[in-house]
Amino acid sequence: MEGILFWFLALVLLGSAVAVITNRSPVASALSLVTMILALAGLFGLLGAYFLAAIQVWVYAGAVMVLFLFIIMLLDLKAEEGMPLRALGVGAGLFLVLFLGVGIWHAIPASAWEANGLRAAVSNDAASIGHLLFGAYVLPFEAVGFLLLVAMVGVIVLSKRDV
Amino acid sequence: MVTELTVFLVSTLIKIFLVIGVLLGLVAYAVLAERKVSAAMQDRIGPNRVGLPFVKARLMGLGQPLADAFKLMLKEQFVPGHVRGFYYNLAPMLAFLPALLAICVIPFAGVDPIHLPGLSLAIPQPGVIANVGIGALLLFAVTSLGVYGIVLAGWSSNSKYAFLGGIRSSAQMISYEVAMGFSAIPVFLISGALSLPQIVDFQIERGWLLLPFVGKQFDWHLLFLWPSLLLSSLIFLVTLFAETNRAPFDLPESEQELVGGYNTEYGGMRFGMFFLGEYAALISASGLFVTLFLGGWSLPFGLLGTATSLSTFFLQALVFLGKVCLLVFFFMWIRWTLPRFRYDQVMTLGWKVLLPLSMANIVLVAILLAVFGGTP
């Protein structure tokens, strides 16, 4: 049962990820991305990481992508729809995917995943994730938070400039 | 030979059919109730003609939902020529689905296993379809997807009114989602759980979070926290109004300016799906509020706290249903009492009032809990 679900979700995930790029209509691309996010949340659920799955759906599908869609619809992009895929772009994309994939494969060996107790913590509940985030990983967590704050201030400064 | 898996599968299927059936029945009668309530408030009679078919009895208009449903289903499925076909068909389904999914994690009765006569194995988690440890978060996540149906409907209709309705709705839902999540955090802090059945169990023991003195035992900790809980429940209630697009937050479909808002270009059962989705969302929102603040399936002072037999189980479900119906009535009462907000008022209320208040409330509750203790 889990095997079937895994392959189904993985196929949906990869298929919609490809559809994000190959779709020429921005709205269709955005919706494919939403499908991909939902499939990814399903995979997290299969790993027992329900917290991650719920947050994935809530934050990415429920908030970020809605804003994306919102902007796409407001701008009503038409020029994009006629643009064909270019060989150079496809090649560069494939190269980047391979580069990043191999990089991640080497950077995070399966043993590290098990050794740091990450798997146990992640597939447990919100409390253990909280203990990890505010305990062992508090510095990276705060750094990410600070980065987001900087981005927010940047956006406000940029959008206020011509007032 | 009956295995645990078959018991689980069969009981889950039965629960799904029961819950979806009751939900759809409630939706049908909520529409009638809405018309009756509005009629009573405006000193009219309301629908009272339609009774059962082939019988002369009118039954105070109780046959109206049947007639409404048949009308919607038998209507021509007309599609205007200027719409974007695929998304136009997709949108009503997307609007309907999240509310149905959300109801899966709301516990409508106790979740302790109950034994049925003549069956050796106990039925696991009888009171909820899916007992997920982070049920509350999952529920927020699923309901946040409801906006897609409305946004897509507005965009794919390719018409000004529908588009403005869709845009307004997405802006409103995103704005109030944040405050909704924050206003629920004190509940999780105090009960120490994200699982909805556990939150209800906490309330049975220590008092409903809206009325902290009706628990099995009196808990003075909750009295300190009562003001914060009242504030948090108020914010949560207001954001529920906004999230379900109910008046006074019904700007997405304000008739005077936008004809019908995002569903202007829809007819027949496609329009019916939006309608169903809206009321289903209203009912699951009421269910969530009852679960978080009003003690879920329990009566005050720990009565009906645990179900031991099938009869107490059904009594619990009835209590839960009763509370949900009262809350749905409250929603209708507000709708026919208050005028609609202006758009800038909605945004000011969401971002400048409710959001800071709910954040301050979280900090206050956290400090109170740290000083006085009281988490289980």
Side-chain angles (χ1 to χ4, degrees):
Chain A
M1 187 65 190
E2 271 186 23
I4 300 171
L5 270 178
F6 171 79
W7 284 110
F8 172 73
L9 287 171
L11 276 180
V12 171
L13 190 141
L14 288 178
S16 47
V18 171
V20 174
I21 305 165
T22 52
N23 260 316
R24 293 291 85 191
S25 143
V27 172
S29 281
L31 287 180
S32 307
L33 195 52
V34 174
T35 320
M36 199 213 89
I37 287 164
L38 293 182
L40 189 58
L43 284 179
F44 283 149
L46 271 186
L47 284 174
Y50 296 117
F51 180 79
L52 271 189
I55 294 295
Q56 174 89 4
V57 173
W58 194 6
V59 173
Y60 286 101
V64 173
M65 286 314 294
V66 175
L67 283 177
F68 247 84
L69 212 58
F70 193 75
I71 301 300
I72 290 172
M73 287 173 183
L74 272 183
L75 295 181
D76 201 19
L77 306 166
K78 289 247 163 52
E80 285 279 326
E81 297 193 12
M83 242 157 65
L85 282 173
R86 271 178 301 192
L88 183 67
V90 174
L94 279 178
F95 173 74
L96 265 181
V97 165
L98 277 177
F99 189 73
L100 274 179
V102 171
I104 290 173
W105 188 274
H106 279 281
I108 313 173
S111 53
W113 176 243
E114 300 287 352
N116 290 345
L118 272 180
R119 185 196 184 96
V122 163
S123 56
N124 215 326
D125 58 348
S128 48
I129 292 184
H131 281 300
L132 268 188
L133 277 186
F134 292 103
Y137 295 94
V138 68
L139 199 65
F141 182 69
E142 291 295 329
V144 169
F146 190 72
L147 198 67
L148 285 176
L149 181 71
V150 168
M152 209 159 81
V153 172
V155 166
I156 293 170
V157 168
L158 281 177
S159 56
K160 274 265 178 189
R161 197 167 49 182
D162 50 341
V163 173
Chain B
M1 186 60 208
V2 187
T3 61
E4 267 181 44
L5 186 68
T6 38
V7 169
F8 173 74
L9 283 180
V10 169
S11 62
T12 305
L13 268 180
I14 292 174
K15 277 185 286 184
I16 290 175
F17 278 116
L18 269 182
V19 169
I20 301 287
V22 168
L23 178 70
L24 291 183
L26 267 185
V27 166
Y29 277 93
V31 179
L32 179 68
E34 177 103 66
R35 295 173 65 184
K36 283 279 195 190
V37 168
S38 69
M41 286 189 178
Q42 297 166 347
D43 211 4
R44 293 182 285 114
I45 296 173
N48 69 342
R49 297 280 128 180
V50 189
L52 292 174
F54 311 118
V55 188
K56 288 279 181 194
R58 273 187 194 159
L59 298 173
M60 305 176 305
L62 283 180
Q64 186 72 40
L66 212 63
D68 285 346
F70 271 112
K71 186 197 88 172
L72 283 174
M73 276 187 244
L74 295 177
K75 258 189 169 178
E76 185 192 350
Q77 300 288 318
F78 181 75
V79 180
H82 54 76
V83 300
R84 298 172 165 102
F86 176 68
Y87 304 106
Y88 180 82
N89 288 319
L90 186 69
M93 302 178 207
L94 287 184
F96 186 43
L97 205 60
L100 283 191
L101 282 177
I103 211 84
C104 287
V105 289
I106 295 180
F108 52 89
V111 291
D112 300 324
I114 50 172
H115 285 276
L116 292 188
L119 198 67
S120 55
L121 289 162
I123 294 189
Q125 305 152 9
V128 59
I129 293 178
N131 191 3
V132 196
I134 41 98
L137 287 184
L138 196 68
L139 205 145
F140 286 135
V142 168
T143 44
S144 72
L145 297 179
V147 67
Y148 280 105
I150 293 172
V151 167
L152 277 182
W155 177 74
S156 68
S157 292
N158 220 349
S159 111
K160 266 179 228 155
Y161 298 124
F163 185 65
L164 282 173
I167 291 287
R168 272 188 188 183
S169 156
S170 48
Q172 180 177 317
M173 288 175 96
I174 293 168
S175 309
Y176 279 76
E177 215 172 77
V178 191
M180 182 169 84
F182 280 158
S183 66
I185 288 180
V187 174
F188 306 143
L189 283 178
I190 290 167
S191 65
L194 280 172
S195 142
L196 293 173
Q198 274 179 33
I199 291 173
V200 176
D201 280 338
F202 174 86
Q203 297 184 71
I204 292 170
E205 289 297 322
R206 315 264 293 270
W208 299 356
L209 291 179
L210 199 58
L211 308 162
F213 37 78
V214 298
K216 244 184 209 167
Q217 69 236 37
F218 183 77
D219 185 358
W220 60 271
H221 290 110
L222 281 186
L223 273 192
F224 278 106
L225 297 163
W226 198 20
S228 304
L229 281 170
L230 283 178
L231 179 64
S232 133
S233 62
L234 181 71
I235 296 174
F236 194 74
L237 196 63
V238 173
T239 51
L240 280 187
F241 274 96
E243 288 288 309
T244 50
N245 289 328
R246 296 279 301 183
F249 293 98
D250 57 343
L251 293 117
E253 43 187 316
S254 50
E255 300 88 353
Q256 292 85 346
E257 316 147 42
L258 297 179
V259 190
Y262 60 87
N263 56 26
T264 301
E265 306 288 335
Y266 283 86
M269 203 50 214
R270 288 199 188 86
F271 169 76
M273 297 273 271
F274 283 115
F275 215 61
L276 279 178
E278 207 167 289
Y279 277 90
L282 170 67
I283 288 163
S284 55
S286 305
L288 180 60
F289 188 84
V290 167
T291 306
L292 288 185
F293 293 102
L294 290 175
W297 63 79
S298 69
L299 283 174
F301 308 111
L303 288 173
L304 277 180
T306 46
T308 43
S309 63
L310 208 57
S311 51
T312 43
F313 172 76
F314 277 114
L315 272 180
Q316 286 180 335
L318 277 183
V319 167
F320 182 76
L321 208 61
K323 286 182 187 173
V324 168
C325 287
L326 278 181
L327 207 60
V328 169
F329 171 73
F330 178 74
F331 270 85
M332 290 172 183
W333 185 8
I334 296 291
R335 170 168 176 185
W336 296 100
T337 307
L338 293 181
R340 183 179 303 130
F341 283 126
R342 228 172 39 225
Y343 188 72
D344 59 315
Q345 290 172 329
V346 170
M347 286 297 138
T348 313
L349 181 68
W351 289 109
K352 292 187 182 164
V353 180
L354 295 185
L355 185 63
L357 263 184
S358 56
M359 283 167 118
N361 202 17
I362 294 173
V363 176
L364 182 67
V365 168
I367 290 174
L368 281 178
L369 281 177
V371 172
F372 295 107
T375 35

